[in-house]
Structures are given as structure tokens and as C-alpha cells.
Amino acid sequence: MTATSPRTPAPVLVLVPGATGAPSDGGPGYRLADPTVPQLSVTDLVATRGDGVFETIGAFDGSPVNVGPHLARLARSAEMIDMPAPDQALLAEAVDAAIAAHESVAELSVRVMYTRGVEGTGTPTCWIHAKASDDWSPYRAGMKVAVLDRGLATTAAETSPWLLQGAKTLSYAVNMAAVREAKRRGAADVLFVSSDGYALEGPTSTLLVRRGDTFLTTPASAGVLAGTAVATLFAWLREQQGLATGEELMTIEDVKGSDGAWLLSSTRLAAPITHLDEHELPVDAELTARFERVLKGGI
Amino acid sequence: MTATSPRTPAPVLVLVPGATGAPSDGGPGYRLADPTVPQLSVTDLVATRGDGVFETIGAFDGSPVNVGPHLARLARSAEMIDMPAPDQALLAEAVDAAIAAHESVAELSVRVMYTRGVEGTGTPTCWIHAKASDDWSPYRAGMKVAVLDRGLATTAAETSPWLLQGAKTLSYAVNMAAVREAKRRGAADVLFVSSDGYALEGPTSTLLVRRGDTFLTTPASAGVLAGTAVATLFAWLREQQGLATGEELMTIEDVKGSDGAWLLSSTRLAAPITHLDEHELPVDAELTARFERVLKGGI
């Protein structure tokens, strides 16, 4: 366990030429590669159009969490942008290979990247990149969150599927710009609000809201990503704690009037919202710590 | 002149490590590189987030058009996403070098790519890729265009700058999805409409509308890219033809009731819209041919 060392362990790269089937050159479906040398073509459509999909999987003490749900969501995202279906079984093996090749650390962030590939080839490019997670403890202790308009109505996912709401694409420039705007406002992260006034999700996270003994999230039909972490917490809350969970469209005022809210992600885990813009929210440190253990796969 | 040859001339790649100033290793500001081998890191933020900006410049018989306006727009896009200012003079030299290194062709497409760079370095990645243009003659003869909702109001550019409307970013997955949807509908391209009902632009083009002797385009304040081609045509229409030009918010019905409409781009030039969804529009082949000559820099 070297996660507390100031030295950063070397990231691991696994290329997956067989992501959509056996590579035409008869080579292996996946192989370790050197992440310190260039591996991508300048004409890969991810480099010219941000055209591809991805997932980020957390691994804790060497054990990845929710690999199946993440790869299933990758496949759904790929389908939403008319890309070939990835071989989920092979990708799961490649994820394991990346984790096995990485020095043992407490928290590992494993990205699965799946692009439309080099222009004109019709063959997706796929790689897995594992690296020691950043130190997310400041977020897990609680963070200020800025409410920013996403400009789209909650109906857009259904009426205008080409807007790719609910697909985890590699076109994240707006998400990154929103986080920069939040930081300018003295906040650490963002809660997007729809043009019709509903709380949506963070740029890289899912909203969880507590109302008494009920835990709520945004319905995926509103154009948010179906969160893997919230699914894990909901199962635990229902099955282990006997509490109620549900999907509900909530206004920003609903969230402000709640008994607590978190932004959930597979690597940052449960980050409690201390302030939504200037409005202070109750923070339950003990419950947050339990969420963290559950999300690490510990329960 | 080999553009009519069935053989495709080899693309040219110029890497520009000095795009934001002299490279730290004392190397040249730009240099030719092999486009057939990988040149990009898997941790370049363009590959993980679609985080960067770009321009596509047309060069006709070896002469690039509107290099200055394109590079100025690249700088504006970079500023909108909080990237360092590119060295426009160096980039102009590098564009010339790319064109000079490419086999002589009638129409060359020169992409200038400027990404946020490898994670953690804070140094943008920049390259220029020149290749013989696709055959755009079917578009220039006239094309069906599907009207697709972009979901955002024309006020979003001003109220929500983090939505990056009007920045030419490398997060183009939605633009590409819209073109695929248009093709499913039997159309060749898209005219985006705002949620408040105004015609905007194409996914990679600018709208031009004729109303009698007046030529109109969408105001940039509505969240569209300020087109370089439309600026060229407007100058020619006013100064050489004595006609009126202007920016105006137009509804889709306004465009349908017009005396002709085009989608303009630096490489496809002027593509007349024959049908907007099912509605037929008048096409002036002679005027379109004159537009084409002007946009090639011939007048």
C-alpha cells in the first residue's frame, strides 16, 4: 500500500484492439503498452471531433467496483452514438489486466475509452488507462456547489436524441467549462439545472437527495446519465436499511429544502453538498462515511 | 494538378510545439511529422474530454483563404475555454509549411487543432493536418437539409457562457450525431433551430439567406459561430455588387419563405439548400457558382 507515499505510481495503459472482435492482424485482444509514448493518431475521431464514449471505474485495494454496470453503460452510450457494440467480456478482462499491472494503491481510477477510431477505417479505438486516484478527501468532507444552467429542457432527451443527453461521450468541453465557472464562483463543483427548472446532475456525477427517510435522484428520462454509484447506494438503502428510494424531478428549491444532498461518482464516491450557491445544506458525516464504504464495495 | 486522379495524395502533418511560445526543449516552433504513426498521448485532454478548439481552412490551388480570420477565431475560441492564446503568426507560418509540403491539389483542407494538452502539463498540444478535400460537388449542386432542434435558446450564449455556444470546440459529438440523424431522414445536412424557434447554423457551416437583394445570416449573439465564409461573401456582395447584407434572427418559416438559402463552409464553400425538410427552396445555380469563385479567393 503506497497511496500515502508522495511518489506517484506509474500509470498503466492497456490497448484493446479487439474491443469489437478479434483484431484483423491476428494479434491479442488487448495488450499492455507504454503510456509515456504517443499511442493515438491525429486523425482518430476522438482527436478531431471528441467522438467516442467512456467510463471511469473505481478500484479500491485492487478490487474494481461495478465493472458490469459500467461496461453495460458504455455499450448503451456507444449505441446512442451509432458505434459498434463493444465486447464487454473482453473489456472486463482488460480492466482486470490493467489493475493487475498497476502497483498496489488504495484507490485506482480506471478509464475505459472507446472512440469512433481513425477517420475512414470504421474501426473503434479502445484503451484502458489506470492511475492512482487524486486525493478526493476534500470533496468527501463536503463542498460548495454552484447551480449552473444546462440550457436544455428535461424533455430534450426524448424529443431530440441527437443532443446525446444521457450518453457519456468524450465531448465534455462544456462539462469542463462548467467546473471552471464554478471555481470562479468559489465552488468546487456544479449542479446543472434544466431550462424548465429541475435539478439534473453534476458534470461528472449523479445527484442524491435525502428527504427524511427517502433518498431520491433525478430520473434518467430527464437527460441525465444513469448513475452506477446511485444504483449501488439505492440497493443498499432498500435492502440493508429498509429505506425508500426513488427517482423524482426536483427543483433547485426542493434540493435546498432537503435533508441533505450529495454528488456521487465512482472515484470521488459520495461528496456531500455543504452549500448550493449561498444556501447551506445539512451534512451527515456519519452517513456519508457509510456511503463511502458501500461505494468502495466494502458492504 | 492531380485532384482528378483516383489515387489519394498523402496527407501532411505539422506538429506545432511552439504554439504558445518557444518550446522548452529549444526545438523548432513547428516541424513536419509522420501522420501514419501515433503522435498523441492517451492522456491528452482532447482524447479524454474533447477539450480543445480548432479551425478548418480551405486552400485552393495551393492558396489558403482567410488564414488571418480563421486564426483570430481560433484565438477567440481558445479564450472562451480559458486556454492560453496561440501564437497566430507562428501558426500562419505552420499552415503555409503544411500546404507547401503537400502535393499540389485543387482543393486542400487544412485543420488547425489546438488542445488543452496532456493532463497535468498545462501545455497545449497543437498540430496542423492538411489533406486533399473530399469531393463536395454533390453538396455544391444542392442538398436537402433537415431542421433539428439544438435545444438551447438564442439567449444562452449570453446568459450561460459555459455552454460554449459560439466556440469552435473539439467536443463535436452532438454535431456529428445531428448529421447522422439528418442522413436517416434522407437529408445531407442539418439546420439547427433554437428552442425559441430561430434558425441558427449547420453543424459545420453558416446559414446564408437571400431575401430579394438582401443577404442575411444569423447574428453571432444567438450562439452561432461567426462564419469566415459569410464575412467574405458579405464583403463581396456589398463592395462589388452593391447589395445589402445583415444579421437577423430568422424563424424556420422565414427561411422557407426566402428567395434561397445556403450553408457555407471554408471547404465545402456554398451549398444551396434545395429542400428544408419537405419544403422546396429556389436554387440559383449561377449565383452559387459565383459564390464558389469568391470563396475560393478568386475574386
Side-chain angles (χ1 to χ4, degrees):
Chain A
M1 209 60 41
T2 60
T4 55
S5 156
R7 183 183 59 82
T8 303
V12 164
L13 175 64
V14 174
L15 302 179
V16 193
T20 54
S24 56
D25 64 0
Y30 59 89
R31 60 182 163 84
L32 284 166
D34 184 350
T36 68
V37 301
Q39 300 283 1
L40 291 180
S41 167
V42 293
T43 58
D44 195 294
L45 286 156
V46 78
T48 57
R49 299 292 190 194
D51 204 355
V53 295
F54 77 108
E55 286 291 325
T56 305
I57 300 172
F60 303 91
D61 292 330
S63 297
V65 173
N66 278 334
V67 174
H70 277 291
L71 295 179
R73 192 170 67 178
L74 184 80
R76 284 200 303 279
S77 294
E79 188 177 10
M80 288 176 75
I81 68 165
D82 303 302
M83 275 181 62
D87 181 337
Q88 295 181 52
L90 182 80
L91 283 175
E93 280 182 44
V95 166
D96 285 342
I99 295 168
H102 196 284
E103 182 178 324
S104 174
V105 295
E107 300 193 13
L108 197 62
S109 169
V110 184
R111 283 182 185 153
V112 182
M113 318 298 281
Y114 186 59
T115 87
R116 202 178 297 277
V118 173
E119 283 177 25
T121 63
T123 303
T125 302
C126 181
W127 73 91
I128 291 164
H129 188 261
K131 64 167 189 173
S133 291
D134 294 335
D135 176 13
W136 296 121
S137 53
Y139 287 79
R140 292 173 189 165
M143 60 181 185
K144 295 188 179 189
V145 168
V147 176
L148 293 182
D149 185 14
R150 185 142 76 187
L152 297 171
T154 48
T155 51
E158 189 170 325
T159 61
S160 308
W162 52 88
L163 298 177
L164 305 181
Q165 296 302 290
K168 196 168 173 75
T169 78
L170 287 163
S171 282
Y172 257 35
V174 165
N175 299 44
M176 299 299 101
V179 173
R180 289 193 299 274
E181 173 66 18
K183 290 183 176 172
R184 274 192 285 270
R185 296 181 183 198
D189 209 336
V190 172
L191 177 61
F192 280 124
V193 59
S194 69
S195 62
D196 45 349
Y198 294 105
L200 294 170
E201 63 188 348
T204 59
S205 58
T206 304
L207 176 65
L208 174 69
V209 171
R210 177 181 191 167
R211 186 189 295 153
D213 285 339
T214 300
F215 290 82
L216 299 165
T217 192
T218 314
S221 59
V224 303
L225 212 60
T228 56
V230 79
T232 296
L233 282 190
F234 273 15
W236 176 78
L237 286 163
R238 281 194 310 266
E239 293 159 21
Q240 309 291 321
Q241 306 297 312
L243 297 171
T245 65
E247 297 191 339
E248 186 178 307
L249 280 178
M250 294 169 274
T251 64
I252 296 301
E253 289 310 307
D254 289 338
V255 180
K256 287 182 176 170
S258 75
D259 298 308
W262 294 260
L263 290 178
L264 306 178
S265 94
S266 296
T267 51
R268 291 188 299 171
L269 307 178
I273 301 174
T274 63
H275 298 77
L276 203 51
D277 291 336
E278 300 307 313
H279 182 90
E280 193 168 354
L281 280 172
V283 170
D284 185 334
E286 191 188 343
L287 181 59
T288 301
R290 296 191 74 182
F291 283 170
E292 183 176 319
R293 288 194 296 275
V294 172
L295 292 174
K296 283 179 172 175
I299 298 177
Chain B
M1 210 61 40
T2 60
T4 54
S5 157
R7 183 183 58 81
T8 304
V12 165
L13 174 64
V14 174
L15 302 179
V16 193
T20 55
S24 55
D25 65 359
Y30 60 89
R31 60 184 163 83
L32 284 167
D34 184 350
T36 68
V37 301
Q39 300 282 0
L40 291 179
S41 167
V42 292
T43 58
D44 195 295
L45 285 156
V46 78
T48 57
R49 300 291 190 193
D51 204 356
V53 296
F54 77 108
E55 286 291 323
T56 305
I57 300 171
F60 302 91
D61 292 331
S63 296
V65 173
N66 278 334
V67 174
H70 276 291
L71 295 179
R73 192 170 66 179
L74 185 81
R76 285 199 302 279
S77 293
E79 188 177 10
M80 288 176 74
I81 68 165
D82 303 303
M83 276 181 62
D87 182 337
Q88 295 182 52
L90 182 80
L91 283 176
E93 279 182 45
V95 165
D96 285 343
I99 295 167
H102 196 284
E103 182 178 322
S104 174
V105 295
E107 300 194 13
L108 197 62
S109 169
V110 185
R111 283 183 185 151
V112 182
M113 318 299 280
Y114 186 58
T115 89
R116 202 177 298 277
V118 172
E119 283 177 25
T121 64
T123 304
T125 302
C126 182
W127 73 91
I128 291 164
H129 188 261
K131 65 166 189 172
S133 292
D134 294 334
D135 176 11
W136 296 120
S137 52
Y139 286 79
R140 292 173 188 164
M143 60 181 184
K144 294 188 179 188
V145 168
V147 176
L148 293 182
D149 186 14
R150 185 141 76 186
L152 298 171
T154 48
T155 50
E158 188 169 326
T159 61
S160 308
W162 52 88
L163 298 176
L164 305 182
Q165 295 302 292
K168 195 169 174 75
T169 78
L170 287 162
S171 282
Y172 257 35
V174 165
N175 300 45
M176 299 299 101
V179 172
R180 289 193 299 274
E181 173 66 19
K183 289 182 176 170
R184 274 192 285 270
R185 296 181 182 198
D189 209 336
V190 173
L191 176 62
F192 280 124
V193 60
S194 68
S195 62
D196 45 347
Y198 295 104
L200 294 171
E201 62 188 347
T204 60
S205 57
T206 304
L207 176 65
L208 174 69
V209 172
R210 177 181 191 167
R211 186 189 295 152
D213 284 339
T214 299
F215 290 81
L216 298 164
T217 192
T218 314
S221 59
V224 303
L225 212 61
T228 55
V230 78
T232 297
L233 281 191
F234 272 16
W236 177 77
L237 287 163
R238 281 194 312 265
E239 293 159 22
Q240 309 290 320
Q241 306 297 310
L243 297 170
T245 65
E247 297 190 341
E248 185 177 308
L249 279 179
M250 294 168 274
T251 65
I252 297 299
E253 289 310 306
D254 289 338
V255 180
K256 287 181 177 172
S258 74
D259 299 308
W262 295 259
L263 290 178
L264 306 178
S265 94
S266 296
T267 51
R268 292 189 299 171
L269 306 177
I273 302 175
T274 63
H275 297 78
L276 203 51
D277 291 335
E278 299 307 313
H279 182 92
E280 192 168 354
L281 280 172
V283 170
D284 184 334
E286 191 190 343
L287 180 60
T288 300
R290 296 191 73 182
F291 284 169
E292 184 176 319
R293 289 195 296 276
V294 172
L295 292 173
K296 283 179 172 175
I299 297 175

